[in-house]
Amino acid sequence: MPSSLPRSAVPPAPPAPTPACYLLTHVAGVTLLLACLAWWVQASGLDMRIARGLFDPLLDDFPLHGSRWLELLGHRLVLALPVSVGLAAVGVAAGSYRIAAWRRWRGVALAVAATCLSGQLLITQLKHHTMLPRPYDLETLGGYTPYPVDWWTWARARAGGALPSGHAGAGYALLTLYFAGWALGRPAWRWSGLAIGVAAGAGFSAVRILQGAHFLSQTIWSAALMWLLAAMFFYPLIAGRAVEFPPRAHRVS
């Protein structure tokens, strides 16, 4: 038997999506779906129903608000995740200039770093201009402030400081693993990366919701933002290949 398959029998690499398809599905489509879901969760009152269900009127507080373990693991340490991943990716990109085996990872590493680091910076800034507060700050849930009427504010003193959720964003930053696996042509990495990103984001979101620190919609907005950033930064590595290397016509012999 021949030691190798004929060239025609080797399965071709999966084609890169066209720029239009990628923009419509991954940049715009998924982002809009998540944004609409976040809007519906707030507008339908589901946010408040969940928060009231977790609130204890006898304590006049959320029972897990002061949990030391949740505070340490789900609040303090979690924010180090996207920064650590981002800095590690920067290290891989820098090392690729000296280590030849890392060169194919350079673009992916830079996209991962850009997503993780810019995501936390953008979330931090947006919090100063959105008015929806944390559940435990509302006067109807043991806090001091009424439910806001407006969405945006230019005055930082009026900001709610909770939209979008930084902790949910820290978990959803791992959605970059989905795009990294796709860009590297590793389907198993791509879909396991998606599962990891969703699980991490949902898990960190659940911790902060249980503490009364965030509404569900605030965490979904974080997912929409992190997905959008990852999709844009990975565009040149995934959809850009279809422009740089267009499919060639097969010659008939």
Side-chain angles (χ1 to χ4, degrees), residues 18-216:
T18 64
C21 177
Y22 184 86
L23 289 171
L24 285 174
T25 58
H26 281 72
V27 176
V30 175
T31 303
L32 285 174
L33 282 175
L34 290 170
C36 289
L37 177 61
W39 174 85
W40 177 83
V41 167
Q42 181 187 359
S44 68
L46 182 58
D47 265 346
M48 289 300 298
R49 288 198 294 274
I50 293 174
R52 289 193 184 103
L54 296 171
F55 180 74
D56 188 341
L58 297 178
L59 294 175
D60 197 33
D61 199 359
F62 291 81
L64 295 176
H65 183 185
S67 171
R68 292 184 178 181
W69 283 110
L70 288 183
E71 184 68 14
L72 176 63
L73 300 176
H75 184 198
R76 302 296 178 186
L77 296 181
V78 109
L79 289 180
L81 178 63
V83 176
S84 300
V85 172
L87 293 178
V90 170
V92 170
S96 69
Y97 289 95
R98 305 206 42 138
I99 303 174
W102 290 7
R103 287 176 187 168
R104 67 184 299 264
W105 295 78
R106 184 183 301 161
V108 170
L110 289 173
V112 168
T115 301
C116 292
L117 299 179
S118 67
Q120 286 303 298
L121 179 61
L122 186 56
I123 285 174
T124 300
Q125 293 305 309
L126 284 173
K127 283 184 175 185
H128 295 304
H129 299 289
T130 54
M131 295 191 65
L132 189 63
R134 302 179 186 278
Y136 57 56
D137 286 337
L138 284 175
E139 59 186 11
T140 55
L141 296 173
Y144 60 89
T145 185
Y147 198 91
V149 176
D150 298 322
W151 181 271
W152 298 101
T153 179
W154 289 109
R156 292 196 171 201
R158 299 181 59 203
L163 176 63
S165 166
H167 294 80
Y172 286 122
L174 295 186
L175 289 170
T176 55
L177 300 178
Y178 164 82
F179 292 94
W182 193 0
L184 292 169
R186 302 290 185 91
W189 292 9
R190 176 184 176 186
W191 298 113
S192 60
L194 179 64
I196 291 170
V198 171
F204 298 160
S205 298
V207 168
R208 298 301 281 160
I209 291 170
L210 289 171
Q211 288 185 298
H214 282 292
F215 287 108
L216 175 60

